Structures are given as C-alpha cells and as structure tokens.
Amino acid sequence: MRFLLLLPCCLLASIALSACTDFVEPNQLAFVMGTAVDRAEGGLIEVSDQIVIPSQLSGPPNRGGGSSGDAGSSIVMSATGRDVFEASEKIQRKMSRRLMTSHRIMLAVSEAFFNENDAGKLFDKLGRDPANNMRDMTIVVRGGSAKEILMLRHPLERLTSIAAGKELQINGLTKFSSRQLILEHYTDGLRPLLPVLQIEKVRTSSKESTPFAALSGFAVLNKQLRIKGVLDENESAAAVWMSGKGAYQGLTIPWKNGKGLLSFRLVHLKRTIRTRSCGDSKCAELEVKAQAYLVENTTSLDMSQIRNMTDTERYMNAEIQRDFQRTMNKIQQWGPDIFGIGEHLHRHYPYWWKSRQHDWDERFKTLDVTVKADISLISIGSSGGQMK
Amino acid sequence: MKANAISRSLEENEAYLRQRFHPSSDIVFRVFALQDRTPLLLVYLDGMASVESIEANVLKPLLFGGLPEGIDRMRTLAETLRREWVPLANVLTDESLESLVKHILQGNMAILADGEASALVAQVQGYEKRSIQEPLKESTLRGSKEGFVENIRTNQSLIRRRIAHADLKMESFTIGEYTRTEVMLVYMQGMADEKVLASVREKLKGIELEGVIDSSYIEEWLENNSFSLFSQIQNTERPDIVTASLLQGKVALLTSGTPFALVLPVSFWSGLQSADDYFERFTFVMLTRFIRYVMTFISFALPAIYVALSTFHPEMVPSYLMISIATARENSPFPTVIEVFLMMFVFDGLQEAGVHLPNQLGPVVSIIGALVIGQAAVEAGIISTPIIIVISLTGVAAYTIPRYSATLPFRLLRYILLFVTGLLGFVGFAYGIIFLLIHLVMLESFGTPYLSPIAPFDGRRMKDLFIRYPFWMKSGRNKKGRQS
C-alpha cells in the first residue's frame, strides 16, 4: 500500500525537478554521420555536416528506393563561424530536425586547416561537449577540402563517412578515434598520428571513373597539432606498427639475390619500448614482435628445408629492422614522438623527464632510438617447395 | 437438552427433516419396518449418495437378514446396526439433527429408528467426479502426469501416495457459511515451521466467507499484503510440486472443489522455477533458467527500455541500429510512448479475447491479431515495425514463466514502467526499478523474505537459484526443515 502511495508522489516530484519534455522522437532528429572542418575566409571555420535522410535509406532491400550509393541518401549542410559551436548552430537554424552528433563516424579535417589554425581549439569542443561520442575516426584530408570528401559518393557504401570508418577498421586500424587524438594531444610524451585521406580517381567500371576517398598515408602531428610530415604507404605501415596502433598487416620483401619475392601476413603485431641511461641522455630501444605466415614465395627457396626457413626468418627480421629504422630516423628528423617513447621515459625517469618535457619535440630529434625486430615465421603455407 | 437433538419419536424427527429440506425434491425419505416391529427411516440426497451402495450395504442385510432374535437391549438399535449389520467402512452415530442435516448434505445417508435418540450415518457418498488427468496449465516434459482433481479425497490420496510417512499430517477445516467447503492443511510434522502453521490455522479459523468457490478465496484471506502485485502464495495443480514443497518444510492447503492447491511460504524465485527444472539434467537446466530469468526481465522491462533508448537516449543505441529504427519510424504519426502503449493494450486485449472465446472461434482472434494489427497497421504506417517486434517479444517472454499466475505481476509492471519511463526516460526507469526492489525487499510471505535467498543473502540456499546443483550436492539441505 505504501508502495502505491509513494510511487506517484516521487514521480510528481521528479517531474517538477526534471524537464519532462526531454524526449525527442527519432523522426525529429538529424543524424550526423560525418563532419568536415575547413578553413574559411577571415579566419573563420567552415563546418559541414553529412546528414542521413532516413526516408531515403532503404530498410529491407526489396522495398525499392535507396540502393547503395543512391543519390540523396544524405545531404551535406555547411556553415561558417568563429568556432565549431557557432557554425553548428548556424546549420541547426537551417534544419527542421535537431542535429545529433553522437552517431558520427568520421571527422574529416583538411590539411590546410591544420596548417593555418590552432587545431587544439577545435578539439576542445570535442572533448568538452558531451554530445560527442568520441568514437568517430579523425582523419586528415589532403589536397582539397574536407567538405568534398563528404559530398563524394561511394560505390559500395551508402555514405562516405561509413566507408572511411569501415576502411580503417577492416585494415586493423582501430585506434584513431577522436578520443585517442584528444588523449594524445593532452599527453606530454606522445604525439598524434592521423590517417590521411586523398581523393583519387578510380575506374570502377569500363565507362566511368569515380572520385574516391582512399587512405593514402599517415600524418605526423606535433604538440601544437601542426602537420610536420606525411608518411608514404611503406613508412605508414612501419609507423603504425611501431606506435602500437595496428593489428595486422602484410609484408613483401625481395630475396637476398634479388630474384623473387617473399610475402608474409603478419598477425599479433606488438611493440615494446625499453629505455636506459646512456651518458647524460637516455637511449631507447623499440622492439617489434609479430607472427608471420608465408603466403607467397616466388624465390627458388625450398621452404620444407629447415635451413631455408631459419634463413628466411633471419633475413626478414633484418629487412624489417633496416626498414623500420629508416622510418624512425625520418620521423625523428621531423620531431614529433608518435611512438610514446617520451611517455615511457616519463614513467621510468620522472625527474629526468620533468626538466625536458617542454621541448620534447626538439630533444626527440637527437634521441638515440634503435629498432629491433623479433618476428617468428610460424607457417610456411600448405606447399613446401617451389612449384615445379 | 438441545433444541435440535434427535427426538425419540421418529415422526418428530422426520417432520423436522422434511421441514428443513422443504421444498427440495432431491431428498429421499425411505421408511420401512424391521421385522414388523421397529420402523426405520433412511434419509439421503438423490445423486449425492450411491444407490448401489445403499441397496447392497444397508437395505439388503436389514430386509433379508433381519435382526437376530434376542437382541441385546442394552445397546441402542443404531449401535447394533453399526456394529453388526451395516457392512460399510465408515459409519458413525450422531445425536444432533442439525449435524445430521450436514451429513446428509455431504452425500451420506442417515438411518433413524423409532424410539432411539441417536442416528446412524453411513458414508455412501457416490457422485460423479472427474478422473485424474494431466494438469493442463503446468505440463512438464518429464515427470508425473497426474494432476489434482476437484475431489479433495482424491487429492489427499495423491499426496499420501507420494509421502508414505506418518509425519505427513492433514488437518481439516470447514470454511464457508453456506458452502461448508472442506480445506485441508497439509504439512510434514517436524519440517514445517510451527509459527507458520499456527498463523495459518489462526487465519483459516478467522475466515468469514459465505462461500469458497476456489482456493483463490482462501488465498486472499491468508495473504499478508493484499495490495502487492506479487502473490505470496503459490498455487499448483501438480501433486509432485506439493510433495516437493512439503519436503522443503512448506505448508500446503487443499480445498474441496478445486484442483488448485495452495503452497506457502514462497519466494519471488519459486514463481520462476518449473517442475521440469528438477527432472532434466542440471547442466541443461542452467541454460533454461538463464533464459527464463532474462525473458522475465524482458517481459516487464523491454517496452520501457525501448522507449527510453529511442526517444530519450538515442546516443546509446549503436549507430546503424538507431538509423534503422529512425528509418522505420520516419512516418509514424504517434509518439513512441503512445505507440508502445497502444500496442501493449491491443496485445493484452487480444489475449483476453482469446481466453474467453469458445474454442471454435479461437482462430478468429489470431487471424485478426496477426493480419489486422500485425500487418495492416504496419503497412498503413500507423504502427512501426520495431514496436511490433518489441511488443511481440515482450508478450512471448512472459510465457517463459512456468506458472500463469506468476506472469501476472510482470504484465502489470510493464504498464507502470512504461508510464514512468515515458515521462522521465531512464531516470524514470530507474525510479520504477528502485521502487520495485524496495517493495520486493519489504514483502514477506509468512515470515520468509520474498527475495530470499538473495536478500537477505544465504549462500547455502543459492544452490537452487541460478544453477540447480545436482541433488547429491544439495543433500542434507532439508534434514531439519525450515526451508522456503
């Protein structure tokens, strides 16, 4: 009895306390799947939101309408403002539905924006506003505006944002969310590494070639979130692995004598950082570990011979070590420590770190970092020797 | 001398009885003289007493055999008849006319003799009764196929057959001013809690009812908290459930005229446990219990959760799912809460109609339900598909609960939770669940906390809650009763 009396009382009280008109029907919401940030005239920011049109998206495939990549399954709304919020409010004023950014998959920022603005301020909005889920991928758009990427049509997916998200995910690159970026931005001994998308023309059928946003490398950013350099494809693979963000990748190396190639699939990618004192500075060693499966062998090696296997393993390790060291040196020249070596030093030598954290980018350039590889060849595939 | 004591004059007695039963036509008065000396009067109700039994056991010996010569005048005639002449197992003498009337009404036959102040009551009950059948509402895949029937003697025997022990006690109570229904208190002496027994006895004696039609009448009088959604007494048609409960130290009540026995005290969990849980392999029971508990939660919470997620917290739903929901709801004319409420209402309405429709018309409801509500409403864009899925799932989930009466609180809770959630989102949902838990923790069934053994926690008794331990692991548990 008391229960029956108490319940309505408490409900009435809570109705008074909270706004009971909080609810929004799904058809009063505009789901933003992707956002592009570009610079605009006069130091303004141009924000573009890619919004799905639910009525154009097909539910069951047989309902007609909305085949994949269908025209008009999304619209792109843009506005300029002094900051992200102001621009978003301007978009909101043009919309019949409330913008819902919690389901965003991609945040595209043009390279030009990074180079001319303090991008840290952009990400303040992301970290502060609880309406962002921070699971969205942050990417850099090279050559062209980020808005264009949103307007592109993808031959396979409904929206380019979904395509970009899936593209990273399917290639084992899952650690590039906004959350990760913000963490990296606020961590002293770690610098962000962001995927770079570029618009390419791809011939998708005999008649036409469609513009296509494809992953073309990774951008290395410094503490002020300015792009210090962009890595090419090979370097990207090395950098991603060395910064501990990849899950798996492929590797192709020519054999010693230059005749034939060896290809491996690498899984269980790991990396370990070790640091020690050497002189008055510190030395770091970065070891990469993986398991390799041989998937293609065009050399004359007979892999059923154990000697050849160990040779291959040794040679592969040496090659990777050489390759990765080169990438490491290149990034060191640029300055930003995307590997988190600074963070490792911070934890192990806190007093040493304290006096050096402010100019870490400069110090990282001269730090002695050696790369080691410890990759074990665990499978030579289902055929032993070369096909005769 | 009491006013309704049997008189020595047979005419007076007959007049009294005739007047008492006037103008009922099914009462039979049969007068005959014993060897032309003593007039005897047989009184019984036609249809309630077995005519064959009367003829074979009373009339034949008396008419053809006659009383022996030199009857011992020290004994009354009734006593003589009882000792020597009526070959029936259950015979007693009575000295009050009013109690004679009661016996006659129960289907017994009264034998009155002239010049005697006592009467003989011969138990010759014989009326049509249902035979033992498989309980329909609580059928199991394995285990006994016997179910209780309306006859209390049969029901008693169903329990006695299963527990052949003198500690099994059955106390009889007569309840109902007019129906004079027999209610049997069944328990295992030494196992059942004396305090529970005393309180049940006291409550049974305090019942003021004109009639007891079903055990539910007794149930409502016995319950401590009648306003609760949750019943504090279990009802069952299965003798094996009653037997198992008795052996756990619980108390059962059999009521004449209904196949539903009452078992008390119970906990929240006993409503969610099926007899099959004890008949199947315990490893599989782990799965079925898990499914049942999850489905129980779905059965009262899913509509509310759906409303909270889709209209208050769309950011909590995975992106693709949310877009699917948004796509489906694009043209819906009603707000989600109203739509869910409408569908729940219609679902319960169909269910109610299905219960009351004659069997031949049963399919009509399913056709109307499936075609009109399910398909037409969706195609017309009045109701959206996700809501149909949610409501059907909710409706089906309730029936994973093995006992029908245990589903009822959850069906009501559904509406309450939907209401608070529709107002406040997950905050309201949390309010609803908190109040539900407060209520359940406070609720008691004859001294046993309703949520035990979870609250208050009792690790030893957890062996039969989420996982039913094999019997040999639980052995010794019931050695000294007081289990609930």
Side-chain angles (χ1 to χ4, degrees):
Chain A
M1 194 65 214
R2 199 148 26 130
F3 170 72
L4 291 174
L5 286 173
L6 273 174
L7 188 66
C9 292
C10 280
L11 278 175
L12 286 175
S14 52
I15 290 167
L17 288 173
S18 69
C20 72
T21 52
D22 267 354
F23 76 88
V24 191
E25 291 297 323
N27 55 15
Q28 295 170 330
L29 287 174
F31 294 97
V32 176
M33 298 310 279
T35 299
V37 179
D38 289 292
R39 76 198 163 92
E41 306 279 307
L44 296 178
I45 298 178
E46 183 181 18
V47 173
S48 313
D49 282 334
Q50 185 181 39
I51 295 156
V52 281
I53 307 171
S55 57
Q56 295 293 320
L57 285 174
S58 58
N62 56 356
R63 277 267 178 94
S67 64
S68 58
D70 197 25
S73 62
S74 73
I75 50 163
V76 177
M77 299 289 284
S78 311
T80 53
R82 281 167 296 172
D83 66 0
V84 180
F85 184 73
E86 195 180 62
S88 302
E89 279 302 288
K90 280 185 187 165
I91 298 177
Q92 179 67 77
R93 246 168 272 151
K94 292 183 232 169
M95 297 290 298
S96 61
R97 299 181 177 199
R98 191 184 299 173
L99 289 174
M100 173 98 195
T101 51
S102 307
H103 289 291
R104 183 163 54 210
I105 293 173
M106 183 182 73
L107 179 67
V109 184
S110 67
E111 193 183 2
F113 182 86
F114 272 114
N115 289 338
E116 290 172 34
N117 295 67
D118 185 355
K121 286 178 183 158
L122 168 67
F123 293 105
D124 180 83
K125 153 93 174 155
L126 289 179
R128 210 178 288 279
D129 189 350
N132 295 297
N133 70 354
M134 300 210 283
R135 275 176 298 193
D136 47 352
M137 307 261 183
T138 307
I139 53 154
V140 177
V141 177
R142 207 174 189 203
S145 71
K147 188 178 170 182
E148 271 173 65
I149 292 257
L150 294 184
M151 289 176 174
L152 286 183
R153 225 166 282 154
H154 196 274
L156 212 56
E157 307 289 345
R158 283 172 182 164
L159 305 171
T160 38
S161 317
I162 295 178
K166 281 186 171 176
E167 202 177 311
L168 289 177
Q169 207 157 25
I170 212 75
N171 289 306
L173 306 165
T174 48
K175 293 186 179 164
F176 296 96
S177 59
S178 310
R179 179 176 171 276
Q180 187 76 20
L181 176 65
I182 289 161
L183 286 180
E184 283 163 1
H185 180 51
Y186 287 120
T187 309
D188 287 328
L190 183 61
R191 301 286 172 263
L193 179 70
L194 291 180
V196 176
L197 285 195
Q198 214 162 1
I199 300 177
E200 287 169 21
K201 285 251 178 197
V202 181
R203 271 180 76 89
T204 48
S205 68
S206 55
K207 273 177 254 164
E208 49 177 350
S209 58
T210 24
F212 196 72
L215 187 65
S216 68
F218 281 83
V220 175
L221 276 71
N222 70 0
K223 181 81 184 153
Q224 289 72 40
L225 291 180
R226 282 187 201 272
I227 294 171
K228 297 300 279 187
V230 175
L231 300 162
D232 70 22
E233 246 171 85
N234 278 335
E235 292 160 347
S236 294
V240 165
W241 186 352
M242 283 195 288
S243 55
K245 290 177 174 175
Y248 44 84
Q249 52 183 251
L251 173 74
T252 302
I253 46 172
W255 184 237
K256 286 176 203 168
N257 56 14
K259 287 178 192 163
L261 294 166
L262 288 164
S263 287
F264 304 91
R265 183 183 297 127
L266 301 170
V267 295
H268 295 288
L269 301 189
K270 288 193 185 80
R271 60 102 197 228
T272 338
I273 298 170
R274 282 185 216 97
T275 49
R276 63 196 146 83
S277 302
C278 46
D280 63 338
S281 182
K282 303 284 170 192
C283 296
E285 184 190 287
L286 200 149
E287 190 184 47
V288 288
K289 272 189 178 179
Q291 295 177 352
Y293 292 77
L294 181 65
V295 287
E296 217 175 312
N297 175 16
T298 56
T299 64
S300 53
L301 294 170
D302 179 1
M303 281 298 169
S304 56
Q305 300 294 313
I306 194 91
R307 192 171 43 82
N308 284 341
M309 256 185 77
T310 47
D311 264 8
T312 310
E313 196 182 80
R314 208 172 304 129
Y315 178 66
M316 172 176 60
N317 272 312
E319 279 291 293
I320 285 186
Q321 209 160 306
R322 195 169 52 87
D323 230 41
F324 280 29
Q325 187 69 57
R326 205 166 40 216
T327 309
M328 175 63 81
N329 293 344
K330 187 172 179 183
I331 294 167
Q332 268 188 296
Q333 275 172 19
W334 289 340
D337 173 13
I338 57 168
F339 310 101
I341 293 170
E343 205 44 38
H344 193 269
L345 288 165
H346 182 183
R347 298 211 179 131
H348 286 76
Y349 307 98
Y351 293 107
W352 181 88
W353 173 255
K354 219 167 195 175
S355 58
R356 288 157 182 88
Q357 57 175 323
H358 306 292
D359 53 348
W360 178 239
D361 282 9
E362 280 309 307
R363 283 177 187 273
F364 182 65
K365 284 181 181 174
T366 57
L367 193 77
D368 179 11
V369 186
T370 37
V371 180
K372 284 201 165 173
D374 177 14
I375 293 152
S376 44
L377 181 63
I378 63 163
S379 160
I380 55 160
S382 38
S383 57
Q386 191 55 262
M387 295 262 275
K388 294 274 164 15
Chain B
M1 206 176 201
K2 277 177 275 175
N4 56 5
I6 296 176
S7 138
R8 284 193 177 276
S9 147
L10 189 61
E11 275 106 63
E12 263 178 49
N13 289 337
E14 190 183 341
Y16 180 85
L17 289 175
R18 278 191 187 277
Q19 176 260 325
R20 196 80 175 82
F21 284 105
H22 180 80
S24 300
S25 58
D26 56 347
I27 186 93
V28 177
F29 291 89
R30 168 81 158 83
V31 187
F32 68 97
L34 203 58
Q35 293 170 340
D36 295 332
R37 285 201 309 218
T38 322
L40 287 180
L41 173 67
L42 307 183
V43 189
Y44 65 92
L45 276 173
D46 199 14
M48 289 286 283
S50 150
V51 178
E52 292 84 39
S53 175
I54 293 171
E55 282 170 357
N57 300 321
V58 183
L59 284 179
K60 267 187 195 163
L62 287 177
L63 284 177
F64 300 144
L67 281 181
E69 295 292 327
I71 180 170
D72 188 351
R73 297 307 300 176
M74 295 305 286
R75 286 195 205 141
T76 62
L77 182 64
E79 188 66 11
T80 313
L81 290 177
R82 188 167 83 87
R83 291 205 178 178
E84 297 174 24
W85 285 97
V86 180
L88 278 170
N90 211 342
V91 175
L92 48 98
T93 48
D94 207 327
E95 285 170 3
S96 145
L97 277 169
E98 226 11 73
S99 104
L100 213 55
V101 168
K102 277 185 202 170
H103 282 300
I104 294 168
L105 286 171
Q106 280 166 3
N108 297 327
M109 182 178 67
I111 307 172
L112 294 123
D114 195 24
E116 297 268 349
S118 64
L120 189 70
V121 176
Q123 210 160 44
V124 290
Q125 279 165 331
Y127 38 80
E128 292 304 316
K129 57 192 179 198
R130 193 164 64 98
S131 57
I132 296 174
Q133 284 167 335
E134 193 181 347
L136 288 178
K137 279 192 180 162
E138 288 172 277
S139 57
T140 56
L141 297 171
R142 199 175 149 178
S144 156
K145 301 280 179 214
E146 284 179 333
F148 284 131
V149 293
E150 285 74 8
N151 187 295
I152 195 167
R153 298 280 161 270
T154 316
N155 294 350
Q156 267 177 299
S157 79
L158 285 173
I159 298 172
R160 282 276 184 205
R161 274 181 234 170
R162 285 176 169 77
I163 308 178
H165 200 284
D167 276 351
L168 173 64
K169 304 292 179 192
M170 298 193 174
E171 286 175 27
S172 176
F173 294 83
T174 306
I175 295 166
E177 199 183 330
Y178 291 103
T179 56
R180 295 187 203 286
T181 312
E182 187 175 5
V183 174
M184 199 67 89
L185 175 65
V186 187
Y187 58 94
M188 291 298 288
Q189 200 167 45
M191 284 187 182
D193 189 349
E194 283 301 329
K195 269 185 259 168
V196 172
L197 283 174
S199 102
V200 172
R201 278 188 203 114
E202 193 186 327
K203 281 185 174 175
L204 282 175
K205 280 174 191 152
I207 295 179
E208 292 163 15
L209 275 173
E210 297 194 331
V212 176
I213 313 299
D214 186 81
S215 51
S216 54
Y217 286 57
I218 313 264
E219 186 180 338
E220 289 198 356
W221 271 89
L222 292 186
E223 266 181 344
N224 307 42
N225 188 345
S226 304
F227 292 100
S228 173
L229 298 180
F230 295 88
S231 71
Q232 296 125 59
I233 297 175
Q234 180 183 343
N235 62 68
T236 179
E237 272 186 280
R238 299 187 61 89
D240 50 355
I241 289 184
V242 170
T243 310
S245 305
L246 289 175
L247 293 178
Q248 286 173 2
K250 293 186 189 176
V251 173
L253 285 165
L254 301 176
T255 309
S256 178
T258 172
F260 287 95
L262 302 178
V263 175
L264 59 100
V266 293
S267 71
F268 178 78
W269 313 102
S270 55
L272 304 180
Q273 290 167 1
S274 147
D276 257 337
D277 288 0
Y278 301 91
F279 301 152
E280 296 297 345
R281 293 186 62 77
F282 82 100
T283 41
F284 179 69
V285 171
M286 273 195 273
L287 173 71
T288 49
R289 281 221 172 143
F290 175 74
I291 290 173
R292 208 178 296 144
Y293 289 157
V294 170
M295 286 303 229
T296 306
F297 180 75
I298 286 177
S299 76
F300 68 89
L302 188 65
I305 290 176
Y306 175 78
V307 168
L309 279 179
S310 71
T311 60
F312 285 87
H313 314 280
E315 66 277 1
M316 284 176 72
V317 187
S319 305
Y320 297 120
L321 178 61
M322 192 58 222
I323 288 172
S324 293
I325 292 175
T327 310
R329 287 200 46 78
E330 191 58 21
N331 299 317
S332 297
F334 299 114
T336 313
V337 198
I338 305 292
E339 214 174 302
V340 170
F341 174 77
L342 278 179
M343 282 313 291
M344 269 163 62
F345 190 81
V346 168
F347 184 87
D348 279 338
L350 283 174
Q351 210 169 306
E352 189 62 17
V355 170
H356 296 308
L357 269 184
N359 283 346
Q360 296 90 325
L361 292 177
V364 173
V365 174
S366 25
I367 290 168
I368 294 175
L371 289 184
V372 177
I373 317 290
Q375 213 176 333
V378 172
E379 271 176 20
I382 296 168
I383 302 290
S384 65
T385 352
I387 285 172
I388 300 271
I389 297 171
V390 165
I391 299 301
S392 335
L393 185 58
T394 311
V396 170
Y399 294 105
T400 55
I401 301 171
R403 288 188 299 111
Y404 175 74
S405 48
T407 64
L408 304 177
F410 300 112
R411 282 171 60 188
L412 251 172
L413 265 177
R414 225 180 259 171
Y415 286 95
I416 300 175
L417 274 181
L418 178 69
F419 177 71
V420 289
T421 312
L423 284 179
L424 301 167
F426 268 130
V427 180
F429 185 75
Y431 270 127
I433 295 291
I434 288 168
F435 274 97
L436 174 68
L437 286 177
I438 290 175
H439 172 67
L440 283 175
V441 166
M442 275 167 42
L443 197 60
E444 276 191 355
S445 164
F446 294 87
T448 306
Y450 206 56
L451 278 185
S452 67
I454 296 277
F457 185 77
D458 182 352
R460 283 164 303 158
R461 278 170 44 204
M462 293 291 282
K463 287 185 177 178
D464 189 20
L465 191 62
F466 296 112
I467 299 173
R468 177 182 75 74
Y469 280 51
F471 295 118
W472 53 267
M473 269 179 156
K474 293 194 290 181
S475 64
R477 182 175 65 129
N478 302 323
K479 276 285 149 55
K480 203 55 208 163
R482 311 252 296 148
Q483 213 280 329
S484 48

